[in-house]
């Protein structure tokens, strides 16, 4: 996997249900290296700390490989890297292969795959269509958040080196399907519940299905 773009966002005012809000989803490529800290990316706007940032969502990665798919659906948008609110646009990122818990070195940082992105209305605002939430879920290419195990800097062109593959075989895509499927596969639920790289809150919620 290779970093195609490093993206940062500034606080941006939006309108939602007749009220003014502020979001950090409008991210754009930067020519400078970006710095990973334990709970976020330096100089990146994280407004809603309840749902963004923090240990398990310190940095968001999205695949450059699926941009063409979305460009065909939304050809009239002003396209650039960072459209999905990702800090890193990554070529070769495949959620069907990457396991939750995998540990990578990228730049001078060490990161661990933690959980897929679950879309909210702010993605719909950026795309000008709330239908993208269902489209995004159905496409099953959500990208992934990572934990920062070692703080460091990342630049365009940096390569992801797998340091340790998770012994738990739960992939990002497996878990994403599990989140949005009514009939939960018991074996997949067990994998998720026993995957310590996932946030405890999510594991406890899924444990109720066993």
């Amino acid at each position: 996997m290779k970093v195609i773009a490093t993206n940062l966002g500034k606080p941006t005012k939006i309108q939602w249900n007749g009220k003014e809000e502020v979001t950090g989803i409008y991210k754009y490529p930067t020519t400078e290296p970006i710095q990973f800290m334990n709970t976020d990316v330096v100089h990146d706007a994280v407004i809603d700390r309840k749902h963004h940032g923090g240990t398990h969502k310190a940095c968001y990665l999205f695949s450059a490989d699926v941009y063409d798919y979305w460009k065909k659906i939304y050809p009239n948008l002003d396209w650039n890297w960072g459209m999905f609110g990702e800090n890193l646009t990554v070529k070769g990122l495949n959620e069907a292969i990457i396991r939750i818990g995998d540990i990578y070195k990228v730049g001078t940082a060490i990161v661990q795959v933690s959980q897929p992105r679950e879309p909210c209305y702010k993605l719909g605002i950026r795309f000008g269509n709330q239908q993208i939430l269902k489209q995004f879920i159905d496409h099953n290419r959500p990208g992934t958040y990572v934990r920062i195990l070692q703080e460091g800097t990342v630049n365009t062109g940096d390569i992801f080196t797998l340091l340790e593959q998770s012994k738990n075989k739960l992939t990002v895509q497996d878990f994403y399907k599990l989140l949005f499927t009514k009939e939960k596969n018991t074996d997949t639920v067990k994998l998720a519940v026993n995957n310590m790289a996932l946030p405890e809150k999510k594991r406890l919620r899924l444990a109720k299905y066993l």
Side-chain angles (χ1 to χ4, degrees):
M1 299 189 295
K2 182 179 180 180
V3 178
I4 297 299
T6 55
N7 312 299
L8 297 174
K10 295 179 179 179
T12 303
K13 292 180 180 179
I14 58 172
Q15 293 291 325
W16 177 247
N17 287 338
K19 295 181 181 179
E20 184 175 87
E21 295 186 26
V22 179
T23 178
I25 198 171
Y26 288 85
K27 301 194 193 304
Y28 299 95
T30 175
T31 57
E32 301 295 324
I34 61 175
Q35 186 174 0
F36 289 0
M37 304 297 284
N38 284 330
T39 57
D40 52 24
V41 176
V42 175
H43 301 311
D44 185 47
V46 179
I47 310 300
D48 180 5
R49 287 279 174 179
K50 182 179 179 181
H51 298 103
H52 301 283
T55 302
H56 292 281
K57 292 184 176 180
C59 176
Y60 177 45
L61 283 53
F62 193 75
S63 178
D65 307 341
V66 301
Y67 261 72
D68 285 344
Y69 170 87
W70 290 107
K71 285 178 181 179
K72 290 175 183 176
I73 299 175
Y74 294 95
N76 297 322
L77 295 181
D78 184 15
W79 281 92
N80 206 336
W81 302 124
M83 281 292 292
F84 295 85
E86 76 270 18
N87 298 108
L88 296 183
T89 313
V90 182
K91 183 178 180 180
L93 189 156
N94 187 341
E95 296 91 335
I97 296 174
I98 297 171
R99 296 179 181 181
I100 290 176
D102 283 352
I103 297 174
Y104 291 89
K105 187 175 190 299
V106 56
T108 62
I110 296 176
V111 303
Q112 182 179 42
V113 176
S114 57
Q115 60 183 318
R117 188 257 195 87
E118 299 169 52
C120 73
Y121 67 93
K122 291 176 182 176
L123 181 65
I125 288 175
R126 177 147 198 193
F127 275 73
N129 182 4
Q130 291 299 322
Q131 289 298 314
I132 193 174
L133 274 65
K134 185 177 186 306
Q135 294 167 345
F136 191 86
I137 291 168
D138 291 344
H139 189 225
N140 207 24
R141 298 295 304 273
T144 186
Y145 287 104
V146 293
R147 294 174 59 209
I148 309 304
L149 302 184
Q150 176 180 295
E151 296 179 348
T153 57
V154 180
N155 207 345
T156 301
D158 284 345
I159 302 295
F160 281 79
T161 301
L162 181 64
L163 298 181
E164 183 180 332
Q165 186 177 52
S166 174
K167 293 179 175 61
N168 185 301
K169 294 182 179 180
L170 183 73
T171 67
V172 173
Q173 200 170 79
D174 288 337
F175 184 65
Y176 196 61
K177 288 178 183 176
L178 188 67
L179 288 175
F180 295 102
T181 302
K182 290 182 180 179
E183 298 295 327
K184 309 292 187 190
N185 179 281
T186 303
D187 290 338
T188 309
V189 172
K190 287 178 180 177
L191 280 175
V193 169
N194 292 305
N195 192 315
M196 296 300 111
L198 282 171
E200 183 180 20
K201 209 178 269 188
K202 279 185 162 44
R203 289 189 284 111
L204 290 175
R205 193 177 299 135
L206 284 166
K208 298 174 183 177
Y209 289 94
L210 295 177

